[in-house]
């Protein structure tokens, strides 16, 4: 009977140990489940962050494409401006040449008119001299007063 009691005590002790181990195992399993849940939550957060990063990278890529398109448009406009500026300079030069040619023609015409008037004046002066030749010039007068200057 003593042995039986001893044996029973050992069984009780083992049962207590088993119960303690089961409790500890339950606690460990509970903590393990919490940790698994935490890992799943962190994995979901990580997936969300990866998606955010991917979206931001896509936005950056799109912004770069838009910037490249804008720069291309700017370059095209700059080229067009250079062409127009060159044309404007050429037209200005051409216009200056046309104006110069017109002014030169006007000047040549004025020179011809001046030469014609000078010739006309000379003819009138010569005519006045011929008309006055042999006639008496009034006192204080001379041939110069008959010169036509216009």
């Amino acid at each position: 009977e003593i042995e039986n009691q001893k044996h029973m005590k050992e069984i009780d002790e083992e049962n207590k140990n088993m119960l303690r181990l089961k409790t500890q195992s339950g606690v460990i399993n509970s903590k393990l489940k919490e940790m698994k849940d935490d890992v799943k939550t962190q994995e979901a957060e990580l997936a969300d962050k990866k998606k955010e990063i991917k979206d931001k990278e896509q936005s950056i890529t799109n912004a770069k494409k838009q910037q490249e398109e804008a720069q291309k448009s700017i370059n095209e406009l700059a080229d067009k401006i250079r062409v127009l500026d060159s044309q404007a300079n050429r037209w200005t030069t051409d216009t200056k040449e046309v104006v110069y040619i017109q002014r030169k023609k006007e000047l040549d015409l004025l020179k011809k008119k001046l030469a014609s008037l000078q010739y006309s004046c000379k003819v009138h002066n010569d005519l006045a001299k011929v008309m006055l030749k042999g006639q008496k010039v009034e006192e204080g007068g001379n041939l110069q007063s008959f010169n036509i200057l216009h």
Side-chain angles (χ1 to χ4, degrees), residues 77-146:
L77 286 174
D79 288 344
K80 287 180 182 178
I81 288 170
R82 278 191 283 279
V83 167
L84 290 174
D85 192 39
S86 173
Q87 287 176 345
N89 286 339
R90 190 171 56 247
W91 291 337
T92 301
T93 302
D94 292 348
T95 302
K96 285 179 183 175
E97 288 175 15
V98 167
V99 168
Y100 172 78
I101 291 168
Q102 288 173 344
R103 295 291 187 255
K104 187 165 179 358
K105 285 180 181 178
E106 290 172 6
L107 181 61
D108 289 345
L109 185 62
L110 288 174
K111 284 180 180 178
K112 286 178 183 176
K113 284 183 180 180
L114 177 62
S116 174
L117 286 173
Q118 286 174 335
Y119 178 75
S120 202
C121 285
K122 184 181 178 317
V123 168
H124 282 79
N125 280 338
D126 289 348
L127 183 60
K129 285 179 186 178
V130 168
M131 289 173 65
L132 290 175
K133 198 173 193 180
Q135 291 183 2
K136 190 176 177 183
V137 178
E138 293 181 18
E139 274 185 52
N142 59 35
L143 290 179
Q144 291 295 327
S145 62
F146 293 99

Side-chain angles (χ1 to χ4, degrees), residues 37-96:
D37 289 346
D38 285 348
V39 167
K40 285 181 183 177
T41 302
Q42 289 175 356
E43 285 175 345
E45 288 173 358
L46 182 61
D48 288 345
K49 295 224 185 232
K50 283 182 179 180
K51 186 178 182 323
E52 283 179 32
I53 289 171
K54 188 176 180 180
D55 290 346
K56 287 181 182 178
E57 287 174 344
Q58 185 62 45
S59 294
I60 290 170
T61 301
N62 291 343
K64 284 182 180 178
K65 285 180 183 176
Q66 289 175 348
Q67 183 182 12
E68 288 170 1
E69 289 173 9
Q71 188 62 47
K72 184 179 175 184
S73 294
I74 289 170
N75 291 343
E76 288 172 357
L77 286 174
D79 288 344
K80 287 180 182 178
I81 288 170
R82 278 191 283 279
V83 167
L84 290 174
D85 192 39
S86 173
Q87 287 176 345
N89 286 339
R90 190 171 56 247
W91 291 337
T92 301
T93 302
D94 292 348
T95 302
K96 285 179 183 175

Side-chain angles (χ1 to χ4, degrees), residues 14-31:
E14 283 181 27
N15 282 339
K16 285 180 186 177
N17 282 338
M18 288 288 266
L19 187 60
R20 196 171 348 130
L21 287 174
K22 280 185 183 181
T23 305
Q24 286 177 348
S25 175
V27 169
I28 289 172
N29 284 337
S30 175
K31 287 196 179 202

